[in-house]
């Protein structure tokens, strides 16, 4: 049992990655659609590339979206409008007419005209309330059929033009008076009726909508059917018209049919295999080409988390409305991974993620082509992300690539630009704006996962920061030494394509441990008094070696990133404090070399190896007397060759060719520092 537990402990990192792979696969498959995938790809207006296709089962031919839209529009525009009739209004109006008419015309007309006027008034009321007076004006077509409901019972049918709008009351009065040759009484009748006329019809929107919905529910979304074994399309035939509709119907039927438990489980199993294969490829890539990332479980988790997050967001958008699919800023993924790791890892992960998204999105080939091209452009254009202008320029280029590629695909599919949906370009612009969110996202990731990006490195490189200010005050010689090393290391890193910003920051902070005992280091001894004269060689060596441990403690206290602390930890590797070691050997024959050696570890990256070389060269260069080009060349060669012989760079992925390039840069820089010139004759 104990051996089993020990074995588990030794392989805990591998077990964690296996569990991470399984968990990520499960979550991604959970987000995927749980149906079969139609195995044929086809495009409208293009030849059928596969063999002759026979119907695998009976299925109905679905109507095209345009057909259904036309039917819906026709039903909506021709449906009956329902109005509720208020029976109490008309009797009240007629009663009011009897009262008001007597008051209005008793003294103003001769008795002989009075009955005619009253008959004309009743005729006006009959005209107005024949169908009814509307409570408000509506913008319906005059030819629209209407039904008048009396307590939810249909009383009569009519057209909307038969109903009297309140704005038309005056014209009805004019019409009746004109017919009876009584236009001279227009003003009196108008004032009379405008005081007593009340609407008795109100639009019943809910009842009308319910009736329309009942008609819409009767729409058939299919027209005809295809029997099993019927030829749908032959190889080489152009997919258009009825053939295209049959293929669309077959694909829709195939992907939406109800799966039994056995089929469902097989679909899940197949999806899980494909997703696990993709994520396994990512792990294998990390193990083979990015072993430092692979060994760090936090970084592996970070990469898997970003892949899962993008798939989750894309699934939400597709489920809501697939036309917004291009708003999702997929290019954030390569941007983030390039900021924290490198371009190659960013592109590889981006391509795998886009391939997985192909299972979710419609028009998967078009989508994958667009996103992969955009990812490549992102990797190629975005450099020095900490410069704001670079990000804006790159986002503009990415958006332009989206628009050009989409336009090309549309023309290929449709053959013209007449039906081009220009609003799609707005989605691409919104996607570009969303991509700018990468800056705050990188900051959040730094805090959550303890990573460091070039943006943070730029902040750390500020010599006015609190820690570097303290270093310049307590150990000015060390601070000046660190600045010189930073310049040498940055130039060397740029020469071989390493991370120049990272190595510069590492150089600025690599000796902060000397703040604890600054006067024990020669660069800070301005008074000429050397405290080591009063100590034994072993004690002196112990103080010198401890500046690495002290530096790590100070760095952790000031919350410096681990990538920067790595430079403090490795800048001396396992080398020996040679001066005090040789001094001890003069006095004693049996000297333990480990007592005079740094604890390590050895440099394990190009950047930490560069710092070791530059730190040794800069420190030792102070001992050069009357430097010449020949002396400097030999000096650089000797120091770096000695480090190679001691095996200090065995763990760093740096080549002999790159070391030679670094030597060349250091020789040139030292020559400039010491202002070597040709000797002029006197």
């Amino acid at each position: 049992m104990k051996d089993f537990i020990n074995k588990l402990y030794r392989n805990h990192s591998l077990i964690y990655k296996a569990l991470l792979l399984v968990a990520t696969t499960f979550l991604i498959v959970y987000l995927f659609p749980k149906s079969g995938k139609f195995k044929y790809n086809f495009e409208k207006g293009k030849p059928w590339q596969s063999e002759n296709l026979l119907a695998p089962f009976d299925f109905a031919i679905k109507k095209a979206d345009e057909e259904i839209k036309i039917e819906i529009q026709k039903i909506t525009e021709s449906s009956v409008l329902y109005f509720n009739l208020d029976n109490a209004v008309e009797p009240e109006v007629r009663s009011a007419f009897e009262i008001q008419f007597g008051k209005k015309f008793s003294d103003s007309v001769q008795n002989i005209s009075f009955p005619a006027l009253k008959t004309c008034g009743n005729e006006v009321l009959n005209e107005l309330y024949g169908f009814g007076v509307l409570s408000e004006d509506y913008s319906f077509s005059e030819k629209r059929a209407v039904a008048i409901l009396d307590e939810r019972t249909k009383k009569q049918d009519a057209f909307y033009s038969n109903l009297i709008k309140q704005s038309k009351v005056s014209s009805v009065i004019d019409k009746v008076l004109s017919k009876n040759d009584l236009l001279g009484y227009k003003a009196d009748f108008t004032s009379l009726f405008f005081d007593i006329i009340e609407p008795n019809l109100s639009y019943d929107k809910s009842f009308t909508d319910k009736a329309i919905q009942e008609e819409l529910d009767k729409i058939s979304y299919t027209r005809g059917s295809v029997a099993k074994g019927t030829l749908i399309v032959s190889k080489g035939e152009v997919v258009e018209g009825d053939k295209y509709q049959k293929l669309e119907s077959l694909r829709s039927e195939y992907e939406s049919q109800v799966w039994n438990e056995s089929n469902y489980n097989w679909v899940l199993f197949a999806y899980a295999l494909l997703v696990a294969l993709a994520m396994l490829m990512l792990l294998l890539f990390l193990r083979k080409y990015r072993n430092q990332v692979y060994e760090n479980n936090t970084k592996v988790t970070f990469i898997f988390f970003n892949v899962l997050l993008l798939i989750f967001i894309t699934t939400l958008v597709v489920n809501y409305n697939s036309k917004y699919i291009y708003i999702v800023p997929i290019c954030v993924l390569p941007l983030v991974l390039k900021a924290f790791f490198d371009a190659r890892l960013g592109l590889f992960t981006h391509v795998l993620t886009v391939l997985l998204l192909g299972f979710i999105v419609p028009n998967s080939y078009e989508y994958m082509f667009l996103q992969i091209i955009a990812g490549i452009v992102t990797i190629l254009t975005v450099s020095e992300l900490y410069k704001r202008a670079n990000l804006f320029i790159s986002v503009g280029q990415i958006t332009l690539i989206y628009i050009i590629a989409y336009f090309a695909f549309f023309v290929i599919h449709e053959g013209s630009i007449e039906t081009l949906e220009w609003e799609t370009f707005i989605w691409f612009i919104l996607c570009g704006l969303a991509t700018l969110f990468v800056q705050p996202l990188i900051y959040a990731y730094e805090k959550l996962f303890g990573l460091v990006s070039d943006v943070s490195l730029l902040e750390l490189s500020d010599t006015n920061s609190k820690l570097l200010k303290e270093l310049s005050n307590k150990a000015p010689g060390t601070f000046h030494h660190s600045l010189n090393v930073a310049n040498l290391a940055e130039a060397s890193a740029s020469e071989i394509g390493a991370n120049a910003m990272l190595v510069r920051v590492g150089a600025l902070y690599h000796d902060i441990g000397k703040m604890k005992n600054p006067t024990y280091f020669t660069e800070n001894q301005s008074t000429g008094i050397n405290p080591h004269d009063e100590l034994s060689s072993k004690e002196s060596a112990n103080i010198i070696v401890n500046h690495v441990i002290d530096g790590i403690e100070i760095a952790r206290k000031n919350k410096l990133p681990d990538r920067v602390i790595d430079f403090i930890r490795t800048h001396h590797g396992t080398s020996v404090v040679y001066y005090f070691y040789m001094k001890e050997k003069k006095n004693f024959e049996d000297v333990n070399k480990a007592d005079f050696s740094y604890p390590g570890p050895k440099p394990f990256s190009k950047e930490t190896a560069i710092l070791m070389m530059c730190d040794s060269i800069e420190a030792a260069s102070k001992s050069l007397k009357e430097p010449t080009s020949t002396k400097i060349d030999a000096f650089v060669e000797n120091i770096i060759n000695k480090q190679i012989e001691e095996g200090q760079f065995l763990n760093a992925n740096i080549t002999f060719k790159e070391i030679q390039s670094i030597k060349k840069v250091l020789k040139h820089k030292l020559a400039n520092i010491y202002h070597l010139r040709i000797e002029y004759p006197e």
Side-chain angles (χ1 to χ4, degrees):
M1 184 66 181
K2 187 177 180 181
D3 292 339
F4 177 73
I5 293 172
N6 289 336
K7 191 174 182 180
L8 283 178
Y9 180 77
R10 286 195 301 271
N11 296 296
H12 74 279
S13 181
L14 186 60
I15 294 170
Y16 175 82
K17 291 179 180 67
L19 292 174
L20 181 64
L21 177 67
V22 171
T24 306
T25 300
F26 172 79
L27 290 172
I28 292 175
V29 171
Y30 177 77
L31 296 172
F32 276 4
K34 308 301 187 299
S35 66
K37 192 79 174 175
F38 193 54
K39 63 181 178 180
Y40 299 104
N41 289 316
F42 59 91
E43 296 178 22
K44 189 175 183 179
K46 297 294 179 183
W48 179 255
Q49 301 294 335
S50 305
E51 296 299 325
N52 295 354
L53 178 62
L54 302 178
F57 45 76
D58 296 341
F59 65 92
I61 303 173
K62 291 193 173 184
K63 293 178 181 177
D65 291 340
E66 284 302 318
E67 289 182 69
I68 295 171
K69 283 181 182 177
I70 291 171
E71 287 189 38
I72 291 173
Q73 185 178 3
K74 186 177 179 181
I75 289 173
T76 304
E77 291 178 354
S78 63
S79 61
V80 177
L81 301 172
Y82 290 89
F83 290 85
N84 291 319
L85 175 66
D86 187 348
N87 284 317
V89 171
E90 186 178 351
E92 290 176 1
V93 171
R94 289 188 180 277
S95 176
F97 171 74
E98 292 291 338
I99 297 169
Q100 295 300 324
F101 183 82
K103 293 180 180 179
K104 190 77 175 175
F105 293 102
S106 58
D107 299 325
S108 60
V109 296
Q110 298 178 0
N111 290 337
I112 192 169
S113 301
F114 193 87
L117 288 173
K118 192 169 185 180
T119 301
C120 184
N122 283 317
E123 194 174 336
V124 170
L125 291 176
N126 292 337
E127 190 77 25
L128 290 174
Y129 289 101
F131 290 96
V133 179
L134 293 169
S135 58
E136 59 180 286
D137 292 353
Y138 300 96
S139 57
F140 299 122
S141 168
E142 294 291 322
K143 297 180 180 179
R144 190 81 174 266
V146 299
I148 298 173
L149 303 177
D150 186 359
E151 295 182 356
R152 291 294 177 182
T153 303
K154 187 187 289 189
K155 182 178 180 182
Q156 57 182 322
D157 294 321
F159 293 100
Y160 185 67
S161 58
N162 298 132
L163 309 184
I164 305 300
K165 300 177 183 177
Q166 293 195 44
S167 59
K168 297 291 181 68
V169 171
S170 180
S171 63
V172 171
I173 295 171
D174 289 352
K175 174 185 170 184
V176 175
L177 290 176
S178 176
K179 186 174 72 171
N180 291 282
D181 293 328
L182 295 173
L183 280 174
Y185 298 97
K186 177 180 176 180
D188 294 323
F189 269 95
T190 301
S191 65
L192 169 63
F193 283 113
F194 267 73
D195 287 337
I196 64 173
I197 294 299
E198 294 291 338
N200 66 338
L201 292 179
S202 58
Y203 177 50
D204 194 334
K205 187 176 185 305
S206 63
F207 195 86
T208 302
D209 290 344
K210 184 180 178 182
I212 292 174
Q213 190 58 50
E214 288 178 357
E215 291 298 317
L216 292 176
D217 291 340
K218 295 176 184 178
I219 292 177
S220 173
Y221 289 85
T222 61
R223 50 174 177 79
S225 61
V226 177
K228 181 179 179 181
T230 304
L231 178 65
I232 297 175
V233 63
S234 301
K235 184 175 181 178
E237 278 190 287
V238 176
V239 178
E240 57 185 357
D242 195 49
K243 288 184 176 61
Y244 176 76
Q245 206 55 42
K246 287 180 180 178
L247 286 169
E248 279 290 340
S249 301
L250 177 60
R251 175 162 64 182
S252 177
E253 184 70 23
Y254 190 87
E255 294 181 354
S256 64
Q257 62 182 296
V258 178
W259 293 81
N260 59 40
E261 187 176 349
S262 174
N263 285 343
Y264 182 79
N265 291 335
W266 275 111
V267 169
L268 288 183
F269 177 70
Y271 272 136
L273 279 180
L274 293 174
V275 174
L277 189 63
M279 303 312 292
L280 182 61
M281 292 304 102
L282 181 55
L283 278 178
L284 292 176
F285 174 86
L286 293 175
R287 185 181 180 185
K288 186 171 179 63
Y289 298 106
R290 299 293 181 272
N291 197 54
Q292 289 181 3
V293 177
Y294 177 80
E295 295 297 334
N296 190 317
N297 285 337
T298 301
K299 292 179 179 179
V300 175
T301 305
F302 171 74
I303 295 169
F304 276 53
F305 171 78
N306 276 278
V307 172
L308 182 61
L309 180 64
L310 271 180
I311 293 175
F312 173 70
I313 294 172
T314 306
T315 305
L316 287 181
V317 173
V318 170
N319 290 339
Y320 175 71
N321 192 332
S322 61
K323 78 175 185 177
Y324 300 128
I325 189 66
Y326 288 111
I327 295 180
V328 181
I330 302 295
C331 289
V332 163
L333 180 62
L335 276 174
V336 167
L337 295 185
K338 186 179 180 182
F340 288 119
F341 306 111
D342 61 85
R344 191 176 177 187
L345 174 57
L347 182 59
F348 188 86
T349 308
H350 174 74
V351 170
L352 282 180
T353 305
V354 171
L355 290 176
L356 291 174
L357 289 174
F359 291 112
I360 301 171
V361 299
N363 300 321
S364 56
Y365 174 77
E366 175 185 320
Y367 178 85
M368 288 190 293
F369 183 91
L370 280 172
Q371 298 296 359
I372 289 173
I373 291 295
I376 292 171
V377 171
T378 303
I379 293 298
L380 293 178
T381 59
V382 178
S383 58
E384 298 177 322
L385 192 60
Y386 54 86
K387 295 181 179 178
R388 288 173 296 179
N390 288 0
L391 180 60
F392 281 99
I393 293 169
S394 296
V395 167
Q397 292 171 331
I398 294 164
T399 305
L400 183 62
I401 290 297
Y402 271 131
I403 291 172
I404 292 172
Y406 176 79
F407 176 81
F409 266 113
F410 187 88
V411 172
I412 290 171
H413 290 162
E414 302 296 331
S416 69
I417 61 170
E418 293 177 1
T419 57
L420 182 64
E421 296 179 359
W422 297 98
E423 69 172 11
T424 307
F425 295 151
I426 297 175
W427 309 145
F428 292 133
I429 294 170
L430 290 176
C431 176
L433 294 175
T435 306
L436 294 175
F437 185 70
V438 71
Q439 286 284 24
L441 188 63
I442 287 173
Y443 177 79
Y445 279 153
E446 286 179 333
K447 302 303 178 186
L448 287 172
F449 291 92
L451 300 171
V452 59
S453 68
D454 284 351
V455 179
S456 293
L457 291 176
L458 182 66
E459 295 173 358
L460 290 170
S461 67
D462 183 8
T463 53
N464 289 314
S465 65
K466 180 183 176 182
L467 191 54
L468 291 180
K469 275 281 189 184
E470 186 180 355
L471 178 64
S472 66
N473 291 330
K474 290 184 177 180
T478 299
F479 178 71
H480 185 259
H481 159 72
S482 298
L483 286 176
N484 289 338
V485 173
N487 292 332
L488 292 174
E490 185 176 21
S492 301
S494 298
E495 181 69 20
I496 66 169
N499 191 331
M501 177 66 72
L502 176 62
V503 77
R504 178 176 182 82
V505 172
L508 288 173
Y509 291 91
H510 78 284
D511 269 346
I512 55 173
K514 292 182 178 179
M515 286 193 292
K516 196 167 185 179
N517 297 300
T519 55
Y520 285 86
F521 301 90
T522 55
E523 66 265 25
N524 300 311
Q525 294 171 359
S526 56
T527 59
I529 299 172
N530 190 344
H532 289 288
D533 294 340
E534 300 176 2
L535 301 174
S536 67
S537 298
K538 190 177 286 188
E539 289 173 328
S540 294
N542 191 46
I543 291 173
I544 300 297
V545 167
N546 278 344
H547 87 272
V548 172
I549 308 300
D550 296 335
I552 293 171
E553 289 177 0
I554 293 170
R556 291 201 184 283
K557 185 179 178 181
N558 286 272
K559 298 181 180 178
L560 290 183
D562 285 340
R563 287 178 78 186
V564 176
I565 296 175
D566 287 340
F567 288 90
I568 301 172
R569 188 183 290 115
T570 63
H571 73 278
H572 285 295
T574 56
S575 60
V576 177
V577 185
Y578 198 71
Y579 176 82
F580 292 110
Y581 175 66
M582 295 306 295
K583 185 178 178 182
E584 184 77 358
K585 283 195 79 172
K586 289 179 182 178
N587 300 323
F588 304 96
E589 290 184 5
D590 187 20
V591 179
N592 186 1
K593 198 173 184 180
D595 294 336
F596 295 85
S597 298
Y598 286 95
K602 296 176 181 178
F604 46 78
S605 67
K606 287 181 183 180
E607 289 77 16
T608 51
I610 289 169
L611 179 62
M612 173 179 270
M613 295 182 220
C614 295
D615 181 42
S616 302
I617 294 293
E618 204 285 331
S621 67
K622 298 293 190 291
S623 63
L624 280 173
K625 295 178 181 179
E626 298 180 2
T628 63
S629 294
T630 305
K631 281 185 178 180
I632 287 174
D633 289 356
F635 167 78
V636 171
E637 290 287 343
N638 289 337
I639 289 180
I640 295 180
N641 287 343
K642 184 180 178 183
Q643 290 174 337
I644 294 172
E645 289 170 8
E646 291 175 353
Q648 297 296 336
F649 307 133
L650 288 177
N651 297 332
N653 58 335
I654 192 166
T655 65
F656 283 115
K657 183 179 179 181
E658 289 170 336
I659 292 174
Q660 287 302 118
S661 299
I662 292 168
K663 287 179 181 178
K664 183 179 176 182
V665 170
L666 293 175
K667 291 170 185 177
H668 178 71
K669 286 287 182 181
L670 286 179
N672 288 337
I673 289 171
Y674 289 104
H675 304 288
L676 297 181
R677 296 189 178 93
I678 60 171
E679 293 184 10
Y680 291 93
E682 294 183 2

